[in-house]
Amino acid sequence: MFDRLNRRSFLQAVVAVAASTSFGCSDDDDTKKPTADAKYFPQSVCSGDPRPDSVILWVRAVDPDNAGADAPVRLEVSTRAEFSDFVFRGDFTALAANDHALKVKVTKLAARTTYYYRFVLTKNGTEYTTATGRTRTAPAAGADVAVKFAFASCQDYIGRYYNAWQRLLELDEDLDFIVFLGDYVYETTGDKSFQSGNTERRVVFSEPDKALQLGSGESTYYAANALSNYRDLYKTLRTDKLIQQVHERYPFIIIWDDHEFSDDSWGSNATYLDGRAAENQIERKRNSERAFFEYIPLDNTASAEGAIDVASAPVFPNTRVYRDFDFGKHLKLAVSDYRTYRPDHLIPEDAYPGKVAVEASVLGLALPTLPASVQALLQSETFAYTSLDLPEHATQKAVLQGAYVQQAVAAGLTQDAATVKAQTWVSGNVSLFYANQVLTAVNAAREAAGQPAIPLLSTAGTLRGLAYVHLGKGSLFNIQGSRYIVVKPIYDLFSALRYATSAGLSEDALGATQQAWLQNQLKAANTWKIVVSSVSMTSMVFDLSAKTDIPDPTLRQVFYFNADQWDGFPAKKKELLEFIAQNQVKNAMFISGDIHASFASVEGGVPALTAPAITSGSIKELAGLAVIGAGYGPGSAVYKYVVTELNESLAAGNPGMRYVNGDAHGFVVMEVKGDEALAAFHLIPSTEVTKDYSVRGAAELQAQFTRVDFRVQNGAITKL
């Protein structure tokens, strides 16, 4: 019986031998049969951005005996796996300055044709070759052919195994390409909140002193910061044999989401500190993009044939990775970029819950358009506010600022930094609903100390407005009530008013140029117009308003779960969906990832499919951690509705929902035809992600997978 290490070595040797025997001799009698040797090509090969006449081919070539030197290689492309003839041969150099990564654009290819390719490195008269890569060009414009592809997202490497990729390989689907929807790598290593301590699957930074150190004590972990850190993420992940094989077999079309740079990022801004300090990290953002462009087989430089000059690729703020593809008559693929141009989340993480975000003059504009019951609610004392800057409120202002400083210092700010924030946030118009709760708590402490009470603020003659507390913000420096878990009806109203008063800039998720581009793609003549969005278009809503077994009445409301995805920009989302309807766009569809769950829904008349994660923790797991962290254990009603019955709750909260699975990993295979699109979700329980099925056999892995099929037709989704 093999021990684990020896069995892995044995399997790797078999792979190497198989690769070395897969190449035939060239028609050129002077060409020697190359010898496979993975040590010169540790990340193997991959291809991407297939078009009818071109494709991008990638390799990382390095001589381990001279790791600082450039590596000359020869690229060979053939229509035959044995390379008995060539359609392209060329000499290139994998530059050390690009971490020895090389991308070559090969043009003048035939449409809808399978090509085989390999890179060859010569050392001391011996030729060493990569594994044979296989790629396929897109169908010609107007070709009346079905197009089949897979889409997937979120493949954290640390402590997890790529069983989903193994299953796709075993299915051996005849795919035209794979769309990867973002979070190709995760920028952190050792984050115990979601990353395993498995020592076999870990990322070690070659320059840890240049990484960001986050957390504290036993919870200390690191995030990529320097260029070498980001390169380490890609290099490590692409040593995995399964992802190498998937890349060797299919061309990829890849877009980034947030973790290629930083969690829940917007532009060049990170969010690790949740508002404790500014996190605009332009150099870090550019480092992340440079590594992405080095390792991902995409063309964002409009290159001619030949090596792509990665060093000349525009980086933030001049980046452009959104792009479109035509696959014959039936498919227009519009790959959008949600992260680069978007503004901040609508609710700042450091927002003072009592701060009024919408004053009476603005709220009054919306009141006549709202139902009478909503008007009555918004005119109640719950929404009363006053100005703390009035002389008669000086005492209360000082006490409230003091309470803010105390909370901020407890959260890790210095006294001076906390005081500056308090002066900014705890001033002007504040909610009496919130301010008086704080004053009441202060008075309880004062009473215990034998001190006189501070008078509460009077609601007499006050105006009505929306404060952050009404949106769900209950504390400082927290994702709850900002990026996650916001009160849907109030948030929707807040979004609409902010959108109107900012001329749309508050939710300019795509930027004006990209939005115009996307609208143009949606008007294409192709049968299907599929928008690739890294974040989900499907609304994730928890309606707890009628759950009387939840004792806290403030929790018996309707919540958006995630304001980092399109639910966080509801006005812009509505605008995009209305554009599709008003322009009578037929067969539009969104495909997405990011949220680690499987969804099929119809949003504003437009079908939307969300792929599960390849490996990253399922949304059910993450929701469980969040709910327990908020103090609601497995026996609570909140845990029941948000975690135990997550699928049922999300299905009930969104009338357009057709399918929910919040606790599985996997991928989706889709085939688009002239009259329908067929989607098959291939799912494995999230509990299996820490098991390495590559040493267990295909039958055991197959038994873990289930398949769920849908038909998308005429704007509807039907489960088959």
Side-chain angles (χ1 to χ4, degrees):
M1 180 176 181
F2 299 118
D3 64 40
R4 187 169 195 144
L5 177 60
N6 288 337
R7 187 174 184 192
R8 282 179 175 277
S9 300
F10 172 77
L11 291 174
Q12 291 169 0
V14 170
V15 170
V17 171
S20 69
T21 58
S22 65
F23 309 121
C25 295
S26 166
D27 285 342
D28 184 347
D29 293 337
D30 295 331
T31 301
K32 297 179 181 179
K33 179 180 177 180
T35 300
D37 198 327
K39 74 177 183 179
Y40 297 107
F41 311 103
Q43 284 74 33
S44 193
V45 296
C46 61
S47 67
D49 280 16
R51 299 189 184 276
D53 63 349
S54 69
V55 70
I56 308 301
L57 304 179
W58 180 96
V59 71
R60 181 170 181 266
V62 59
D63 181 353
D65 298 323
N66 192 9
D70 296 341
V73 294
R74 183 175 71 250
L75 170 61
E76 300 177 345
V77 183
S78 176
T79 56
R80 301 180 183 181
E82 67 275 14
F83 291 90
S84 56
D85 60 12
F86 299 103
V87 298
F88 180 89
R89 295 183 83 187
D91 294 320
F92 302 94
T93 302
L95 300 174
N98 294 338
D99 206 26
H100 296 99
L102 170 67
K103 293 194 293 189
V104 179
K105 184 174 185 177
V106 181
T107 62
K108 303 181 181 67
L109 300 177
R112 198 67 179 288
T113 301
T114 296
Y115 289 95
Y116 301 88
Y117 64 96
R118 64 189 183 189
F119 290 85
V120 183
L121 181 149
T122 301
K123 181 178 180 181
N124 298 329
T126 301
E127 293 185 336
Y128 300 96
T129 184
T130 62
T132 296
R134 185 182 75 179
T135 193
R136 177 183 289 177
T137 50
D144 188 2
V145 294
V147 180
K148 195 173 190 180
F149 63 96
F151 59 95
S153 71
C154 305
Q155 55 183 15
D156 190 10
Y157 175 86
I158 297 176
R160 300 164 185 271
Y161 294 94
Y162 293 142
N163 302 318
W165 285 135
Q166 181 178 338
R167 180 59 182 156
L168 180 63
L169 289 166
E170 291 170 356
L171 290 173
D172 196 22
E173 295 272 11
D174 185 25
L175 303 178
D176 288 284
F177 56 93
I178 293 175
V179 175
F180 199 85
L181 297 145
D183 296 343
Y184 188 93
V185 295
Y186 277 67
E187 83 283 14
T188 57
T189 178
D191 184 351
K192 293 181 181 179
S193 68
F194 73 98
Q195 290 179 319
S196 165
N198 181 331
T199 57
E200 291 185 12
R201 303 280 286 190
R202 61 188 184 131
V203 175
V204 178
F205 290 141
S206 57
E207 296 182 297
D209 56 309
K210 295 183 179 180
L212 296 180
Q213 181 174 320
L214 303 170
S216 61
E218 294 183 357
S219 299
T220 298
Y221 63 99
Y222 295 89
N225 179 37
L227 178 56
S228 69
N229 301 153
Y230 282 104
R231 286 170 168 172
D232 289 338
L233 300 175
Y234 292 93
K235 277 189 289 197
T236 304
L237 180 146
R238 290 258 277 275
T239 60
D240 180 271
K241 298 303 178 184
L242 291 172
I243 199 168
Q244 285 184 6
Q245 291 172 42
V246 175
H247 273 299
E248 290 162 7
R249 187 173 299 187
Y250 302 113
F252 272 58
I253 296 173
I254 301 174
I255 189 64
W256 57 37
D257 190 36
D258 52 344
H259 286 287
E260 287 87 354
F261 165 48
S262 193
D263 181 36
D264 287 356
S265 58
W266 51 282
S268 57
N269 295 272
T271 60
Y272 297 130
L273 302 181
D274 291 328
R276 292 174 179 85
E279 294 183 81
N280 188 8
Q281 301 166 341
I282 294 179
E283 182 178 1
R284 181 178 179 230
K285 172 66 171 171
R286 291 172 178 168
N287 288 338
S288 74
E289 293 187 353
R290 173 64 180 264
F292 182 86
F293 296 146
E294 288 173 345
Y295 278 85
I296 298 301
L298 86 164
D299 175 22
N300 65 318
T301 59
S303 298
E305 182 175 87
I308 294 177
D309 183 5
V310 175
S312 70
V315 292
F316 187 86
N318 301 313
T319 310
R320 174 172 171 169
V321 293
Y322 63 87
R323 56 209 192 275
D324 60 279
F325 299 85
D326 288 292
F327 289 88
K329 176 180 179 180
H330 295 305
L331 177 59
K332 164 70 76 173
L333 195 71
V335 182
S336 64
D337 176 4
Y338 179 80
R339 292 292 172 184
T340 301
Y341 313 103
R342 57 160 291 166
D344 194 0
H345 306 85
L346 289 183
I347 303 176
E349 293 90 341
D350 63 335
Y352 180 53
K355 189 73 169 181
V356 172
V358 177
E359 297 181 357
S361 59
V362 177
L363 183 60
L365 298 175
L367 283 176
T369 67
L370 301 175
S373 59
V374 177
Q375 291 186 46
L377 173 64
L378 294 175
Q379 291 173 332
S380 68
E381 289 189 351
T382 299
F383 294 88
Y385 71 87
T386 190
S387 174
L388 283 183
D389 297 337
L390 294 173
E392 60 267 32
H393 296 153
T395 299
Q396 291 89 342
K397 180 178 181 179
V399 170
L400 292 170
Q401 287 187 342
Y404 182 103
V405 169
Q406 185 177 18
Q407 289 179 319
V409 169
L413 271 67
T414 65
Q415 184 78 23
D416 288 345
T419 300
V420 170
K421 278 188 172 291
Q423 292 170 348
T424 300
W425 281 109
V426 192
S427 61
N429 295 326
V430 297
S431 162
L432 299 180
F433 170 77
Y434 180 81
N436 283 336
Q437 287 186 60
V438 175
L439 292 174
T440 298
V442 169
N443 283 338
R446 291 175 66 88
E447 181 180 0
Q451 298 174 335
I454 304 297
L456 300 183
L457 295 166
S458 172
T459 61
T462 53
L463 299 171
R464 303 295 183 259
L466 305 181
Y468 289 114
V469 67
H470 302 126
L471 296 162
K473 193 80 168 66
S475 60
L476 308 179
F477 317 120
N478 205 318
I479 62 174
Q480 279 79 35
S482 58
R483 306 200 304 271
Y484 297 87
I485 314 298
V486 297
V487 180
K488 181 182 185 301
I490 304 300
Y491 189 87
D492 284 342
L493 176 59
F494 170 65
S495 160
L497 292 171
R498 181 67 64 84
Y499 197 71
T501 55
S502 69
L505 294 179
S506 61
E507 299 182 23
D508 190 16
L510 303 176
T513 302
Q514 183 181 193
Q515 180 165 322
W517 162 85
L518 179 57
Q519 291 173 340
N520 189 51
Q521 305 311 309
L522 287 166
K523 294 179 180 179
N526 307 68
T527 305
W528 292 90
K529 279 72 66 173
I530 296 182
V531 178
V532 173
S533 171
S534 64
V535 298
S536 184
M537 182 63 72
T538 296
S539 278
M540 299 178 65
V541 177
F542 287 103
D543 185 353
L544 306 181
S545 58
K547 308 300 185 183
T548 56
D549 52 342
I550 295 178
D552 184 351
T554 64
L555 294 178
R556 293 200 295 268
Q557 301 193 69
V558 184
F559 296 97
Y560 280 128
F561 179 76
N562 181 8
D564 185 58
Q565 65 175 35
W566 278 109
D567 278 347
F569 290 147
K572 176 60 71 175
K573 174 181 173 179
K574 180 181 178 182
E575 179 186 286
L576 289 175
L577 295 174
E578 287 180 347
F579 174 87
I580 292 171
Q582 292 166 0
N583 287 273
Q584 299 180 338
V585 177
K586 295 182 179 179
N587 296 321
M589 188 191 314
F590 286 86
I591 60 172
S592 309
D594 174 63
I595 198 59
H596 309 177
S598 302
F599 299 137
S601 70
V602 179
E603 306 291 324
V606 181
L609 302 177
T610 300
I614 290 291
T615 56
S616 306
S618 73
I619 192 63
K620 186 171 184 178
E621 293 172 337
L622 299 177
L625 292 173
V627 170
I628 290 174
Y632 301 98
S636 68
V638 173
Y639 191 96
K640 171 186 174 183
Y641 295 119
V642 176
V643 184
T644 306
E645 299 178 3
L646 179 140
N647 292 348
E648 295 80 0
S649 294
L650 291 178
N654 180 351
M657 195 75 82
R658 301 294 178 264
Y659 177 73
V660 182
N661 188 326
D663 199 23
H665 298 309
F667 55 88
V668 182
V669 174
M670 173 170 281
E671 185 173 19
V672 295
K673 305 177 181 180
D675 60 346
E676 63 180 4
L678 302 174
F681 285 74
H682 295 264
L683 305 173
I684 182 172
S686 63
T687 53
E688 303 305 305
V689 75
T690 58
K691 302 174 185 177
D692 183 2
Y693 278 90
S694 69
V695 297
R696 295 178 180 229
E700 192 172 347
L701 179 61
Q702 180 181 351
Q704 296 293 336
F705 268 87
T706 57
R707 173 173 170 164
V708 185
D709 289 274
F710 298 91
R711 174 182 288 113
V712 183
Q713 193 173 43
N714 299 325
I717 299 176
T718 305
K719 188 176 180 182
L720 301 178

